């Protein structure tokens, strides 16, 4: 945490005090501290507002903080001696209003660069410059100034921020129906200052579109945020995850129930974007989390998170009741009958233990009959039987079941993508004895990934969205970047989720009429089909790295997930801009540049990994690099199963003449995706086996477009690397260097994707790389000769120069009129080297190619 880091620097810079004066020391201190800033505050970085005019305005508008009765509603605390680890800088609060007050005080102190007094008494009328936070219960000011009718519709998480003007002065009220709502409003108010927005004449009312906005924390796999002993923070006996349950060695004293700073930072960050729940363990669940020792630790964690409006849940294993660790309360296999009392009774007892320690425990996430996890099918029952059994057991305790639909049993269908709907759809359709449809109980959510495969960088939407009218549907997104560059590649996922959430499902009602509201977001927020309980889940990217997410830019994905789960209609570019202002800088050029980098980064990754709807070409060992030729024990884990490369073309035919997966979509989408002439090109190979010489919309044949697309992805990363370099003066040193180092790896690894894939495809297409008409293709003139046919994937080009002729490039001729070039250097002689930089803004952003020409004598 930078504030404390600065303390350590005082000694080092103290010697200068006498000679350069106090202010200079303070400035030097800040710069030094900044230059070492490690990213550990996430976006809750409250640095002084740089613009003097704005700072003055903010200081005039906010002079005092008033929080009445902050200590009144103590949240439940199970752990009597709950405490922070020795030396912590964060502190434990006892109420949500205390959390709001402390955040406001901390934030304003940083942003306004001076302490803002806080009082508990508003007096008869709030003073000018007051910011009042509370509920109608806690605060007289709120009662007097905010009519109940304005607040009630905002529900239990919504907030209102309203300015009251008197002459040129006035005060600001931040109110919620609940203290959590008031806390969300506080963060929203601070965000306005952090992003340099106006804080006068405000009348803001907000409430979340989706009720349950949760993280699923996979604590032991796909954790790219700190499980690396060398690069990102070290282990010291920790296993790399965010929450310590069983750290050893040096960190043995830092296990729960001890609370670490980073838990509080994460709680504050989650609350700042409205995330209100977290399943704390991996979906391939370890039963240890259900043992009394762990439950005590979980209770301490829940205690620490509770003031921030965050409730915890656990992932469980369906056959946990048979685990000897629970002896004497264990069941035999025969007792696992979901219809029997034994099975239900066991889950009710275990949930009861959790409930006793964690009164607001939300329930269980279940991965059953999926990737080797046990489930009801092992005993001849189906997902409906299994989910309902546990749901019925925990319903009396007010808990819910999030039953994952990530299933793909090979016996169900040849096409892996069809399997989930085949296993769940009929249960949703099933007519019940009371005349209603759908067998799943009301406290069951089916938790479904955004696409039908597995978090690929581009997938069509999962066809279950909209087709499960009678069941609660939770959308699962992957924040941790398993398939999107992990902690090496800069890939902002906001646009990907926006694309999914704003996709038209063309859902119809039972009479086949199109629904009025039918985007994926409407299905998820319940407005499409009238669902009251709604949920969105982000597979989290939290770890013990200094910056908590591994890559500094991975913080943006957590931020975006929170913002989009609060309001999926938001524009991902606006979210990026907020994040950049809060995390890096408010300088216009920095904001503009970084947002631009972020906005193209996902489409670039799609381009160099899996363009035009190609899927899952990852090497199985790590899901990071490519291995399109790989054949694994299971067909449907193998890249070859997805690419179907042959001499005719590339891609998986899922049209009516192929696997007919397209039939699982509503008719309009089914028709659109099922026809190679109407499917969007970015999903082409997802649904069709595409002939190498098919004419594309660009006018080129498929093969040529494909290779250019791989190259474009890499060319974008080159642009990002160069662009970041130019930001050096505006970015603090440590983070600048860390991102810079990652971008170099990113560029090289993107090149590896391009080369590995294109080389492999070539062995089927029998064609060479296209040349001369790519977006960055050029010809050059040297010694009066025009030379072209440059393969854009090559690192350099050998140019024969006749003895005595000049090696100078006299002309550069770009193939694309929109491309620009610059001769960065000419060869002084032969042998020698010249560099030409070609740039072009393409559909997802700027591309750069540095042509390195090696002049050699003929
Ligand atoms: C992916 C991932 C697994 C994970 C699984 C899931 O396949 O690689 O580690 O368990 O998704 O969502 O359950």
């Amino acid at each position: 945490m930078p504030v404390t880091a600065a303390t350590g620097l005082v000694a080092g810079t103290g010697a200068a005090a006498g000679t350069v004066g106090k202010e200079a020391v303070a400035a030097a201190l800040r710069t030094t501290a900044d230059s070492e800033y490690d990213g550990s505050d996430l976006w809750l970085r409250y640095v002084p507002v740089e613009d003097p005019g704005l700072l003055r305005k903010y200081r005039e508008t906010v002079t005092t903080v008033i929080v009445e009765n902050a200590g009144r509603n103590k949240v439940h605390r199970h752990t009597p001696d709950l405490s922070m680890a020795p030396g912590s800088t964060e502190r434990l609060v006892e109420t949500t209003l205390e959390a709001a007050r402390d955040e406001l005080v901390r934030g304003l102190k940083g942003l306004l660069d001076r302490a803002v007094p806080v009082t508990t008494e508003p007096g008869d009328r709030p003073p000018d410059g007051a910011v009042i936070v509370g509920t109608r219960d806690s605060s007289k000011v709120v009662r007097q100034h905010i009519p109940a009718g304005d607040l009630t519709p905002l529900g239990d998480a919504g907030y209102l921020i309203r300015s009251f003007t008197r002459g040129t002065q006035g005060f600001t009220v931040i109110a919620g129906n609940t203290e959590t709502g008031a806390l969300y409003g506080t963060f929203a108010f601070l965000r306005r200052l952090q992003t340099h927005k106006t804080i006068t004449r405000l009348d803001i009312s907000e409430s979340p579109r989706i009720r349950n906005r949760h993280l699923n924390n996979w604590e032991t796999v796909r954790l790219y945020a700190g499980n690396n002993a060398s690069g990102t923070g070290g282990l010291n006996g920790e296993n790399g995850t965010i929450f310590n349950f069983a750290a050893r060695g040096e960190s043995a004293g830092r296990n729960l129930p001890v609370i670490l700073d980073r838990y509080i930072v994460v709680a504050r960050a989650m609350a700042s974007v409205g995330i209100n729940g977290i399943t704390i363990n991996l979906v391939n669940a370890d039963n240890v989390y259900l043992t009394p020792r762990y439950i005590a630790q979980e209770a301490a964690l829940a205690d620490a998170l509770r003031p921030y409006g965050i409730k915890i849940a656990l992932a469980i294993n369906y056959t946990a009741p048979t685990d000897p660790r629970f002896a004497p309360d264990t069941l035999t296999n025969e007792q696992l009958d979901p219809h029997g009392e034994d099975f239900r009774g066991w889950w009710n007892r275990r949930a009861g233990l959790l409930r006793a320690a964690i009164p607001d425990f939300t329930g269980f996430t279940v991965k059953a009959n999926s990737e080797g996890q046990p489930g009801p099918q092992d005993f001849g029952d189906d997902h409906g039987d299994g989910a309902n059994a546990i749901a019925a057991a925990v319903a009396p305790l007010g808990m819910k079941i999030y039953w994952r639909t990530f299933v793909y049993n090979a016996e169900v269908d040849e096409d892996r993508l069809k399997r989930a709907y085949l296993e769940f759809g009929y249960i949703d359709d099933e007519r019940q004895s009371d005349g209603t449809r759908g067998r799943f109980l009301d406290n069951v959510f089916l938790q479904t990934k955004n696409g039908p495969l597995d978090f690929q960088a581009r997938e069509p939407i999962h066809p279950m969205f909209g087709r499960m009218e009678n069941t609660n549907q939770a959308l699962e997104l992957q924040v941790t970047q398993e398939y999107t560059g992990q902690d090496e590649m800069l890939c902002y996922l906001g646009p990907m989720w926006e694309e999914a959430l704003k996709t038209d499902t063309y859902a119809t009602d039972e009479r086949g009429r199109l629904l009025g509201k039918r985007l994926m977001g409407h299905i998820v927020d319940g407005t499409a089909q009238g669902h009251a309980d709604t949920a969105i889940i982000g597979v989290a990217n939290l770890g013990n790295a200094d910056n908590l997410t591994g890559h500094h830019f991975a913080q943006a994905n957590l931020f975006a997930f929170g913002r989009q789960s609060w309001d999926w209609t938001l524009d991902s570019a606006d979210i990026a801009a907020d994040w950049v202002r809060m995390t890096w800088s408010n300088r216009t050029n920095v904001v503009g540049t970084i947002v631009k980098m972020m906005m193209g980064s996902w489409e670039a990754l799609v381009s160099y990994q899996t363009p035009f709807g190609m899927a899952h070409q990852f090497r199985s060992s790590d899901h990071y690099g490519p291995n399109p030729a790989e054949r694994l024990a299971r067909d449907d884990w193998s890249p070859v199963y997805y690419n179907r490369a042959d001499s005719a073309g590339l891609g998986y035919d899922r049209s009516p003449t192929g696997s007919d997966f397209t039939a699982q979509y509503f008719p309009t989408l089914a028709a659109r995706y099922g026809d190679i002439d109407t499917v969007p090109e970015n999903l082409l190979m997802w649904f069709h086996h595409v002939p190498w010489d098919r004419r594309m919309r660009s006018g080129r044949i498929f093969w040529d477009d494909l290779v250019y697309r791989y190259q474009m992805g890499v060319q974008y990363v080159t642009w990002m690397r160069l662009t970041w370099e130019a930001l050096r003066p505006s970015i603090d040193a440590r983070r600048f260097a860390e991102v810079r180092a990652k971008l170099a790896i990113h560029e090289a690894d993107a090149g590896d994707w391009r080369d590995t894939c294109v080389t492999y495809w070539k062995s089927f297409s029998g064609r060479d790389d296209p040349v001369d008409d790519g977006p960055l293709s050029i010809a050059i003139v040297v010694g009066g000769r025009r030379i072209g046919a440059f393969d854009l994937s090559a690192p350099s080009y050998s140019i024969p120069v006749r003895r005595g002729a000049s090696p100078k490039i006299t002309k550069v001729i770009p193939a694309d009129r929109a491309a620009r070039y610059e001769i960065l250097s000419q060869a002084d002689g032969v042998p020698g080297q010249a560099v030409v930089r070609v740039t072009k803004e393409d559909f997802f952003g700027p591309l750069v190619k540095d042509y390195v020409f090696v002049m050699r004598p003929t």
Side-chain angles (χ1 to χ4, degrees), residues 508-541:
T508 55
D509 64 15
E510 63 289 351
R511 289 164 59 190
R513 293 170 307 195
L514 282 176
L515 300 182
K517 289 184 171 179
R518 49 166 202 268
L519 303 185
M520 167 109 134
H522 293 125
I523 307 284
V524 177
D525 76 13
T527 55
Q529 294 165 327
H531 288 286
D533 206 2
T534 52
I536 184 163
I537 313 293
V539 174
N541 58 348

Side-chain angles (χ1 to χ4, degrees), residues 218 222 283-284 367 371 404 406 449 454 482 623:
W218 294 1
R222 316 306 180 198
V283 283
N284 304 323
K367 173 174 175 179
E371 300 190 323
R404 298 178 82 236
F406 182 58
K449 296 186 183 189
D454 183 12
E482 174 178 0
H623 286 181

Side-chain angles (χ1 to χ4, degrees), residues 218 221-222 224 282-284 367 370-371 373 404 406 408 416 449 453-455 476 478 482-483 539 616 623 637:
W218 294 1
V221 297
R222 316 306 180 198
Y224 310 109
L282 180 65
V283 283
N284 304 323
K367 173 174 175 179
S370 161
E371 300 190 323
Q373 295 299 310
R404 298 178 82 236
F406 182 58
Y408 54 94
R416 167 168 164 177
K449 296 186 183 189
L453 180 48
D454 183 12
F455 297 138
E476 181 180 303
Q478 194 178 42
E482 174 178 0
Y483 294 108
V539 174
H616 212 321
H623 286 181
W637 286 345

